[in-house]
Amino acid sequence: MSSKLEARQKARQDEIITAARRCFRSHGFHAASMSQIAAEAKLSVGQIYRYFSNKDAIIEEMIRRIIDNRIAEMSGKAQVDAIPQILAWRVTLSEDDDALMLEMSAEATRNPQVAAMLAQADARMFENACANVKRDCPHLSDERIRCCVEVVAVMMEGTFYRRLTPQKVPPEQLEKLYREITTMLFTAR
């Protein structure tokens, strides 16, 4: 396949994903239809099916892109020291991605295929986070690293949800507490 054709196909897939993101944010995954996505992308439904076999394939590509972006952002950076600030100040790479991940989680309660996609994405994120912690904290056992990553994942995911509500405690105070928690987590015993 020529690189010009590949570039055109990639651009069309990007347009479809962008349209789907808007539809999913407006209507939710479950309620958004392929015809709505097609209208948003200014394509026919048949044209979309040339690039994606169904709505789940669009969701799968969206999840892959979000996770790839998050993994790329985590790579090469010292993550452990940044965790308290990220949590306390509710820092996000993309509010839109966070909202879509919440939507996907809701869809996963109804759709076993989406649940499987999220489980696979979570496994990728988890293994990548473990590798980063191992790099930053070589003194910790693999078991301890996995436990730490699980606890931090729960805190991060809770923060995604908590962004929907006003923060009730000053971030400066929370950052101190999160620093205590992460110091305790990442200290070898």
Side-chain angles (χ1 to χ4, degrees), residues 35 53 56 58 61 64 70 93 97 104 110 151 168 171 177 180:
S35 61
S53 58
D56 286 351
I58 294 172
E61 178 63 14
R64 187 195 61 74
R70 289 181 176 180
L93 295 175
D97 284 354
M104 287 183 245
R110 296 179 285 270
V151 170
K168 293 155 186 71
L177 184 58
E180 290 174 24

Side-chain angles (χ1 to χ4, degrees), residues 71-105:
I71 288 172
E73 186 63 29
M74 287 174 16
S75 296
K77 294 184 178 181
Q79 296 297 311
V80 172
D81 293 335
I83 292 168
Q85 184 178 22
I86 290 168
L87 291 168
W89 295 88
R90 296 181 175 183
V91 175
T92 182
L93 295 175
S94 168
E95 287 185 27
D96 194 52
D97 284 354
D98 293 348
L100 285 166
M101 291 301 283
L102 288 172
E103 283 286 344
M104 287 183 245
S105 296

Side-chain angles (χ1 to χ4, degrees), residues 101-156:
M101 291 301 283
L102 288 172
E103 283 286 344
M104 287 183 245
S105 296
E107 181 63 15
T109 66
R110 296 179 285 270
N111 184 331
Q113 288 178 298
V114 174
M117 291 175 208
L118 284 179
Q120 184 180 31
D122 180 71
R124 285 182 56 216
M125 283 289 295
F126 188 85
E127 292 307 318
N128 185 271
C130 287
N132 286 339
V133 172
K134 183 72 167 173
R135 180 196 66 221
D136 294 347
C137 303
H139 59 281
L140 296 178
S141 70
D142 289 346
E143 180 181 349
R144 178 69 178 209
I145 288 170
R146 294 179 70 74
C147 289
C148 290
V149 168
E150 184 66 27
V151 170
V152 170
V154 168
M155 290 190 297
M156 291 286 192

